PDB file of all heavy atoms in Angstrom:
ATOM      1  N   ALA S  26       0.816  -1.205   0.002  1.00  0.00           N
ATOM      2  CA  ALA S  26      -0.002  -0.003  -0.002  1.00  0.00           C
ATOM      3  C   ALA S  26       0.853   1.257  -0.002  1.00  0.00           C
ATOM      4  O   ALA S  26       2.041   1.224   0.320  1.00  0.00           O
ATOM      5  CB  ALA S  26      -0.925   0.016   1.216  1.00  0.00           C
ATOM      6  N   SER S  27       0.224   2.362  -0.354  1.00  0.00           N
ATOM      7  CA  SER S  27       0.883   3.660  -0.274  1.00  0.00           C
ATOM      8  C   SER S  27       1.229   3.978   1.170  1.00  0.00           C
ATOM      9  O   SER S  27       0.637   3.450   2.106  1.00  0.00           O
ATOM     10  CB  SER S  27      -0.019   4.756  -0.843  1.00  0.00           C
ATOM     11  OG  SER S  27      -0.370   4.493  -2.189  1.00  0.00           O
ATOM     12  N   GLU S  28       2.176   4.847   1.344  1.00  0.00           N
ATOM     13  CA  GLU S  28       2.588   5.253   2.678  1.00  0.00           C
ATOM     14  C   GLU S  28       1.477   6.009   3.395  1.00  0.00           C
ATOM     15  O   GLU S  28       0.544   6.525   2.779  1.00  0.00           O
ATOM     16  CB  GLU S  28       3.841   6.125   2.596  1.00  0.00           C
ATOM     17  CG  GLU S  28       5.061   5.394   2.085  1.00  0.00           C
ATOM     18  CD  GLU S  28       6.309   6.252   2.111  1.00  0.00           C
ATOM     19  OE1 GLU S  28       6.312   7.310   2.776  1.00  0.00           O
ATOM     20  OE2 GLU S  28       7.295   5.860   1.466  1.00  0.00           O
ATOM     21  N   ARG S  29       1.582   6.031   4.729  1.00  0.00           N
ATOM     22  CA  ARG S  29       0.655   6.763   5.597  1.00  0.00           C
ATOM     23  C   ARG S  29      -0.777   6.276   5.479  1.00  0.00           C
ATOM     24  O   ARG S  29      -1.717   7.060   5.406  1.00  0.00           O
ATOM     25  CB  ARG S  29       0.736   8.267   5.328  1.00  0.00           C
ATOM     26  CG  ARG S  29       2.121   8.849   5.537  1.00  0.00           C
ATOM     27  CD  ARG S  29       2.123  10.351   5.332  1.00  0.00           C
ATOM     28  NE  ARG S  29       1.727  10.724   3.986  1.00  0.00           N
ATOM     29  CZ  ARG S  29       2.534  10.742   2.937  1.00  0.00           C
ATOM     30  NH1 ARG S  29       3.813  10.417   3.082  1.00  0.00           N
ATOM     31  NH2 ARG S  29       2.077  11.100   1.743  1.00  0.00           N
ATOM     32  N   THR S  30      -0.945   4.967   5.458  1.00  0.00           N
ATOM     33  CA  THR S  30      -2.276   4.387   5.399  1.00  0.00           C
ATOM     34  C   THR S  30      -2.661   3.664   6.675  1.00  0.00           C
ATOM     35  O   THR S  30      -3.811   3.748   7.115  1.00  0.00           O
ATOM     36  CB  THR S  30      -2.394   3.403   4.227  1.00  0.00           C
ATOM     37  OG1 THR S  30      -1.392   2.394   4.344  1.00  0.00           O
ATOM     38  CG2 THR S  30      -2.235   4.118   2.892  1.00  0.00           C
ATOM     39  N   PHE S  31      -1.734   2.983   7.296  1.00  0.00           N
ATOM     40  CA  PHE S  31      -2.069   2.072   8.375  1.00  0.00           C
ATOM     41  C   PHE S  31      -2.427   2.759   9.691  1.00  0.00           C
ATOM     42  O   PHE S  31      -3.075   2.145  10.543  1.00  0.00           O
ATOM     43  CB  PHE S  31      -0.929   1.090   8.607  1.00  0.00           C
ATOM     44  CG  PHE S  31      -0.697   0.155   7.460  1.00  0.00           C
ATOM     45  CD1 PHE S  31       0.535  -0.460   7.301  1.00  0.00           C
ATOM     46  CD2 PHE S  31      -1.703  -0.125   6.549  1.00  0.00           C
ATOM     47  CE1 PHE S  31       0.757  -1.328   6.244  1.00  0.00           C
ATOM     48  CE2 PHE S  31      -1.497  -0.982   5.490  1.00  0.00           C
ATOM     49  CZ  PHE S  31      -0.260  -1.590   5.343  1.00  0.00           C
ATOM     50  N   ARG S  32      -2.029   4.001   9.881  1.00  0.00           N
ATOM     51  CA  ARG S  32      -2.335   4.684  11.133  1.00  0.00           C
ATOM     52  C   ARG S  32      -3.816   5.010  11.262  1.00  0.00           C
ATOM     53  O   ARG S  32      -4.379   4.927  12.353  1.00  0.00           O
ATOM     54  CB  ARG S  32      -1.513   5.962  11.267  1.00  0.00           C
ATOM     55  CG  ARG S  32      -0.056   5.741  11.621  1.00  0.00           C
ATOM     56  CD  ARG S  32       0.644   7.060  11.880  1.00  0.00           C
ATOM     57  NE  ARG S  32       2.038   6.888  12.263  1.00  0.00           N
ATOM     58  CZ  ARG S  32       2.855   7.874  12.581  1.00  0.00           C
ATOM     59  NH1 ARG S  32       2.418   9.127  12.571  1.00  0.00           N
ATOM     60  NH2 ARG S  32       4.108   7.625  12.914  1.00  0.00           N
ATOM     61  N   SER S  33      -4.441   5.377  10.180  1.00  0.00           N
ATOM     62  CA  SER S  33      -5.817   5.833  10.233  1.00  0.00           C
ATOM     63  C   SER S  33      -6.767   5.076   9.308  1.00  0.00           C
ATOM     64  O   SER S  33      -7.970   5.329   9.332  1.00  0.00           O
ATOM     65  CB  SER S  33      -5.895   7.324   9.900  1.00  0.00           C
ATOM     66  OG  SER S  33      -5.348   7.595   8.620  1.00  0.00           O
ATOM     67  N   TYR S  34      -6.260   4.148   8.514  1.00  0.00           N
ATOM     68  CA  TYR S  34      -7.078   3.396   7.562  1.00  0.00           C
ATOM     69  C   TYR S  34      -7.416   2.016   8.098  1.00  0.00           C
ATOM     70  O   TYR S  34      -6.629   1.397   8.820  1.00  0.00           O
ATOM     71  CB  TYR S  34      -6.356   3.243   6.229  1.00  0.00           C
ATOM     72  CG  TYR S  34      -6.378   4.466   5.342  1.00  0.00           C
ATOM     73  CD1 TYR S  34      -5.807   5.663   5.751  1.00  0.00           C
ATOM     74  CD2 TYR S  34      -6.952   4.406   4.080  1.00  0.00           C
ATOM     75  CE1 TYR S  34      -5.823   6.776   4.937  1.00  0.00           C
ATOM     76  CE2 TYR S  34      -6.961   5.513   3.253  1.00  0.00           C
ATOM     77  CZ  TYR S  34      -6.397   6.691   3.684  1.00  0.00           C
ATOM     78  OH  TYR S  34      -6.397   7.794   2.854  1.00  0.00           O
ATOM     79  N   THR S  35      -8.581   1.537   7.723  1.00  0.00           N
ATOM     80  CA  THR S  35      -8.929   0.145   7.890  1.00  0.00           C
ATOM     81  C   THR S  35      -8.506  -0.617   6.634  1.00  0.00           C
ATOM     82  O   THR S  35      -8.791  -0.190   5.522  1.00  0.00           O
ATOM     83  CB  THR S  35     -10.432  -0.023   8.114  1.00  0.00           C
ATOM     84  OG1 THR S  35     -10.808   0.668   9.311  1.00  0.00           O
ATOM     85  CG2 THR S  35     -10.808  -1.487   8.242  1.00  0.00           C
ATOM     86  N   MET S  36      -7.810  -1.736   6.820  1.00  0.00           N
ATOM     87  CA  MET S  36      -7.349  -2.550   5.706  1.00  0.00           C
ATOM     88  C   MET S  36      -8.090  -3.882   5.723  1.00  0.00           C
ATOM     89  O   MET S  36      -8.138  -4.544   6.757  1.00  0.00           O
ATOM     90  CB  MET S  36      -5.843  -2.789   5.793  1.00  0.00           C
ATOM     91  CG  MET S  36      -5.012  -1.516   5.860  1.00  0.00           C
ATOM     92  SD  MET S  36      -5.138  -0.510   4.353  1.00  0.00           S
ATOM     93  CE  MET S  36      -4.427  -1.628   3.141  1.00  0.00           C
ATOM     94  N   GLY S  37      -8.651  -4.251   4.581  1.00  0.00           N
ATOM     95  CA  GLY S  37      -9.448  -5.455   4.515  1.00  0.00           C
ATOM     96  C   GLY S  37      -9.078  -6.365   3.368  1.00  0.00           C
ATOM     97  O   GLY S  37      -8.457  -5.945   2.392  1.00  0.00           O
ATOM     98  N   TRP S  38      -9.466  -7.630   3.504  1.00  0.00           N
ATOM     99  CA  TRP S  38      -9.364  -8.620   2.445  1.00  0.00           C
ATOM    100  C   TRP S  38     -10.761  -9.124   2.110  1.00  0.00           C
ATOM    101  O   TRP S  38     -11.523  -9.486   3.012  1.00  0.00           O
ATOM    102  CB  TRP S  38      -8.477  -9.796   2.838  1.00  0.00           C
ATOM    103  CG  TRP S  38      -7.009  -9.499   2.859  1.00  0.00           C
ATOM    104  CD1 TRP S  38      -6.250  -9.170   3.932  1.00  0.00           C
ATOM    105  CD2 TRP S  38      -6.132  -9.523   1.727  1.00  0.00           C
ATOM    106  NE1 TRP S  38      -4.951  -8.983   3.551  1.00  0.00           N
ATOM    107  CE2 TRP S  38      -4.836  -9.194   2.208  1.00  0.00           C
ATOM    108  CE3 TRP S  38      -6.295  -9.791   0.374  1.00  0.00           C
ATOM    109  CZ2 TRP S  38      -3.728  -9.125   1.364  1.00  0.00           C
ATOM    110  CZ3 TRP S  38      -5.190  -9.716  -0.462  1.00  0.00           C
ATOM    111  CH2 TRP S  38      -3.926  -9.386   0.041  1.00  0.00           C
ATOM    112  N   PHE S  39     -11.075  -9.140   0.822  1.00  0.00           N
ATOM    113  CA  PHE S  39     -12.323  -9.686   0.305  1.00  0.00           C
ATOM    114  C   PHE S  39     -11.999 -10.782  -0.697  1.00  0.00           C
ATOM    115  O   PHE S  39     -10.881 -10.878  -1.192  1.00  0.00           O
ATOM    116  CB  PHE S  39     -13.159  -8.604  -0.391  1.00  0.00           C
ATOM    117  CG  PHE S  39     -13.811  -7.629   0.546  1.00  0.00           C
ATOM    118  CD1 PHE S  39     -13.060  -6.646   1.169  1.00  0.00           C
ATOM    119  CD2 PHE S  39     -15.174  -7.685   0.790  1.00  0.00           C
ATOM    120  CE1 PHE S  39     -13.657  -5.736   2.024  1.00  0.00           C
ATOM    121  CE2 PHE S  39     -15.783  -6.781   1.639  1.00  0.00           C
ATOM    122  CZ  PHE S  39     -15.026  -5.807   2.257  1.00  0.00           C
ATOM    123  N   ARG S  40     -13.001 -11.611  -1.014  1.00  0.00           N
ATOM    124  CA  ARG S  40     -12.831 -12.607  -2.059  1.00  0.00           C
ATOM    125  C   ARG S  40     -14.104 -12.712  -2.886  1.00  0.00           C
ATOM    126  O   ARG S  40     -15.199 -12.455  -2.403  1.00  0.00           O
ATOM    127  CB  ARG S  40     -12.422 -13.966  -1.493  1.00  0.00           C
ATOM    128  CG  ARG S  40     -13.445 -14.627  -0.584  1.00  0.00           C
ATOM    129  CD  ARG S  40     -12.832 -15.882   0.030  1.00  0.00           C
ATOM    130  NE  ARG S  40     -13.769 -16.588   0.892  1.00  0.00           N
ATOM    131  CZ  ARG S  40     -13.452 -17.640   1.631  1.00  0.00           C
ATOM    132  NH1 ARG S  40     -12.199 -18.115   1.618  1.00  0.00           N
ATOM    133  NH2 ARG S  40     -14.368 -18.235   2.387  1.00  0.00           N
ATOM    134  N   GLN S  41     -13.935 -13.131  -4.144  1.00  0.00           N
ATOM    135  CA  GLN S  41     -15.049 -13.176  -5.072  1.00  0.00           C
ATOM    136  C   GLN S  41     -14.886 -14.325  -6.055  1.00  0.00           C
ATOM    137  O   GLN S  41     -13.803 -14.541  -6.587  1.00  0.00           O
ATOM    138  CB  GLN S  41     -15.147 -11.852  -5.846  1.00  0.00           C
ATOM    139  CG  GLN S  41     -16.342 -11.739  -6.766  1.00  0.00           C
ATOM    140  CD  GLN S  41     -16.452 -10.352  -7.377  1.00  0.00           C
ATOM    141  OE1 GLN S  41     -15.460  -9.644  -7.521  1.00  0.00           O
ATOM    142  NE2 GLN S  41     -17.668  -9.951  -7.722  1.00  0.00           N
ATOM    143  N   THR S  42     -15.975 -15.052  -6.296  1.00  0.00           N
ATOM    144  CA  THR S  42     -16.035 -16.096  -7.307  1.00  0.00           C
ATOM    145  C   THR S  42     -16.954 -15.635  -8.422  1.00  0.00           C
ATOM    146  O   THR S  42     -17.787 -14.741  -8.223  1.00  0.00           O
ATOM    147  CB  THR S  42     -16.528 -17.425  -6.720  1.00  0.00           C
ATOM    148  OG1 THR S  42     -17.797 -17.221  -6.081  1.00  0.00           O
ATOM    149  CG2 THR S  42     -15.549 -17.963  -5.688  1.00  0.00           C
ATOM    150  N   PRO S  43     -16.851 -16.217  -9.626  1.00  0.00           N
ATOM    151  CA  PRO S  43     -17.659 -15.757 -10.756  1.00  0.00           C
ATOM    152  C   PRO S  43     -19.153 -15.762 -10.462  1.00  0.00           C
ATOM    153  O   PRO S  43     -19.691 -16.733  -9.923  1.00  0.00           O
ATOM    154  CB  PRO S  43     -17.314 -16.755 -11.859  1.00  0.00           C
ATOM    155  CG  PRO S  43     -15.923 -17.192 -11.535  1.00  0.00           C
ATOM    156  CD  PRO S  43     -15.885 -17.256 -10.034  1.00  0.00           C
ATOM    157  N   GLY S  44     -19.822 -14.656 -10.800  1.00  0.00           N
ATOM    158  CA  GLY S  44     -21.253 -14.544 -10.624  1.00  0.00           C
ATOM    159  C   GLY S  44     -21.710 -14.209  -9.222  1.00  0.00           C
ATOM    160  O   GLY S  44     -22.916 -14.133  -8.972  1.00  0.00           O
ATOM    161  N   LYS S  45     -20.778 -14.000  -8.299  1.00  0.00           N
ATOM    162  CA  LYS S  45     -21.138 -13.707  -6.924  1.00  0.00           C
ATOM    163  C   LYS S  45     -20.525 -12.386  -6.475  1.00  0.00           C
ATOM    164  O   LYS S  45     -19.595 -11.868  -7.087  1.00  0.00           O
ATOM    165  CB  LYS S  45     -20.670 -14.835  -5.995  1.00  0.00           C
ATOM    166  CG  LYS S  45     -21.317 -16.186  -6.289  1.00  0.00           C
ATOM    167  CD  LYS S  45     -20.845 -17.240  -5.316  1.00  0.00           C
ATOM    168  CE  LYS S  45     -21.499 -18.575  -5.593  1.00  0.00           C
ATOM    169  NZ  LYS S  45     -21.036 -19.616  -4.647  1.00  0.00           N
ATOM    170  N   GLU S  46     -21.073 -11.839  -5.398  1.00  0.00           N
ATOM    171  CA  GLU S  46     -20.566 -10.593  -4.836  1.00  0.00           C
ATOM    172  C   GLU S  46     -19.275 -10.838  -4.071  1.00  0.00           C
ATOM    173  O   GLU S  46     -18.978 -11.960  -3.665  1.00  0.00           O
ATOM    174  CB  GLU S  46     -21.602  -9.956  -3.908  1.00  0.00           C
ATOM    175  CG  GLU S  46     -22.880  -9.527  -4.600  1.00  0.00           C
ATOM    176  CD  GLU S  46     -23.846  -8.856  -3.647  1.00  0.00           C
ATOM    177  OE1 GLU S  46     -23.614  -8.893  -2.422  1.00  0.00           O
ATOM    178  OE2 GLU S  46     -24.831  -8.273  -4.124  1.00  0.00           O
ATOM    179  N   ARG S  47     -18.527  -9.767  -3.883  1.00  0.00           N
ATOM    180  CA  ARG S  47     -17.342  -9.845  -3.054  1.00  0.00           C
ATOM    181  C   ARG S  47     -17.729  -9.952  -1.583  1.00  0.00           C
ATOM    182  O   ARG S  47     -18.536  -9.168  -1.086  1.00  0.00           O
ATOM    183  CB  ARG S  47     -16.461  -8.609  -3.267  1.00  0.00           C
ATOM    184  CG  ARG S  47     -15.839  -8.533  -4.627  1.00  0.00           C
ATOM    185  CD  ARG S  47     -14.894  -7.361  -4.758  1.00  0.00           C
ATOM    186  NE  ARG S  47     -14.448  -7.218  -6.144  1.00  0.00           N
ATOM    187  CZ  ARG S  47     -13.574  -6.317  -6.558  1.00  0.00           C
ATOM    188  NH1 ARG S  47     -13.034  -5.463  -5.701  1.00  0.00           N
ATOM    189  NH2 ARG S  47     -13.236  -6.259  -7.840  1.00  0.00           N
ATOM    190  N   ASP S  48     -17.140 -10.913  -0.895  1.00  0.00           N
ATOM    191  CA  ASP S  48     -17.445 -11.159   0.505  1.00  0.00           C
ATOM    192  C   ASP S  48     -16.241 -10.849   1.375  1.00  0.00           C
ATOM    193  O   ASP S  48     -15.096 -11.103   0.998  1.00  0.00           O
ATOM    194  CB  ASP S  48     -17.862 -12.617   0.729  1.00  0.00           C
ATOM    195  CG  ASP S  48     -19.176 -12.966   0.067  1.00  0.00           C
ATOM    196  OD1 ASP S  48     -20.068 -12.099   0.004  1.00  0.00           O
ATOM    197  OD2 ASP S  48     -19.330 -14.116  -0.390  1.00  0.00           O
ATOM    198  N   ILE S  49     -16.527 -10.335   2.566  1.00  0.00           N
ATOM    199  CA  ILE S  49     -15.465 -10.026   3.516  1.00  0.00           C
ATOM    200  C   ILE S  49     -14.761 -11.291   3.952  1.00  0.00           C
ATOM    201  O   ILE S  49     -15.391 -12.327   4.190  1.00  0.00           O
ATOM    202  CB  ILE S  49     -16.032  -9.261   4.743  1.00  0.00           C
ATOM    203  CG1 ILE S  49     -14.908  -8.858   5.707  1.00  0.00           C
ATOM    204  CG2 ILE S  49     -17.080 -10.101   5.455  1.00  0.00           C
ATOM    205  CD1 ILE S  49     -13.975  -7.827   5.146  1.00  0.00           C
ATOM    206  N   VAL S  50     -13.452 -11.221   4.040  1.00  0.00           N
ATOM    207  CA  VAL S  50     -12.631 -12.288   4.603  1.00  0.00           C
ATOM    208  C   VAL S  50     -12.107 -11.871   5.972  1.00  0.00           C
ATOM    209  O   VAL S  50     -12.252 -12.598   6.956  1.00  0.00           O
ATOM    210  CB  VAL S  50     -11.460 -12.647   3.675  1.00  0.00           C
ATOM    211  CG1 VAL S  50     -10.560 -13.687   4.332  1.00  0.00           C
ATOM    212  CG2 VAL S  50     -11.973 -13.154   2.336  1.00  0.00           C
ATOM    213  N   ALA S  51     -11.492 -10.690   6.032  1.00  0.00           N
ATOM    214  CA  ALA S  51     -10.931 -10.183   7.276  1.00  0.00           C
ATOM    215  C   ALA S  51     -10.621  -8.709   7.120  1.00  0.00           C
ATOM    216  O   ALA S  51     -10.447  -8.221   6.015  1.00  0.00           O
ATOM    217  CB  ALA S  51      -9.656 -10.942   7.655  1.00  0.00           C
ATOM    218  N   TYR S  52     -10.553  -7.999   8.240  1.00  0.00           N
ATOM    219  CA  TYR S  52     -10.031  -6.645   8.223  1.00  0.00           C
ATOM    220  C   TYR S  52      -9.268  -6.354   9.506  1.00  0.00           C
ATOM    221  O   TYR S  52      -9.448  -7.040  10.518  1.00  0.00           O
ATOM    222  CB  TYR S  52     -11.116  -5.583   7.965  1.00  0.00           C
ATOM    223  CG  TYR S  52     -12.119  -5.320   9.073  1.00  0.00           C
ATOM    224  CD1 TYR S  52     -11.744  -4.706  10.268  1.00  0.00           C
ATOM    225  CD2 TYR S  52     -13.466  -5.638   8.898  1.00  0.00           C
ATOM    226  CE1 TYR S  52     -12.674  -4.444  11.265  1.00  0.00           C
ATOM    227  CE2 TYR S  52     -14.397  -5.373   9.879  1.00  0.00           C
ATOM    228  CZ  TYR S  52     -13.995  -4.771  11.064  1.00  0.00           C
ATOM    229  OH  TYR S  52     -14.924  -4.506  12.044  1.00  0.00           O
TER     230      TYR S  52
END
């Protein structure tokens, strides 16, 4: 990621399969 993100940003991981919405994995 770009600098100066982790202090005030929430960082998340999502996953997606064909034909489906992106679902939360973790943040």
Side-chain angles (χ1 to χ4, degrees):
S27 302
E28 295 184 15
R29 302 183 299 277
T30 57
F31 294 158
R32 285 186 178 182
S33 58
Y34 282 61
T35 299
M36 304 296 296
W38 286 97
F39 287 74
R40 64 187 181 186
Q41 185 174 26
T42 55
K45 298 182 179 180
E46 296 182 350
R47 292 185 188 183
D48 293 326
I49 183 68
V50 176
Y52 71 69

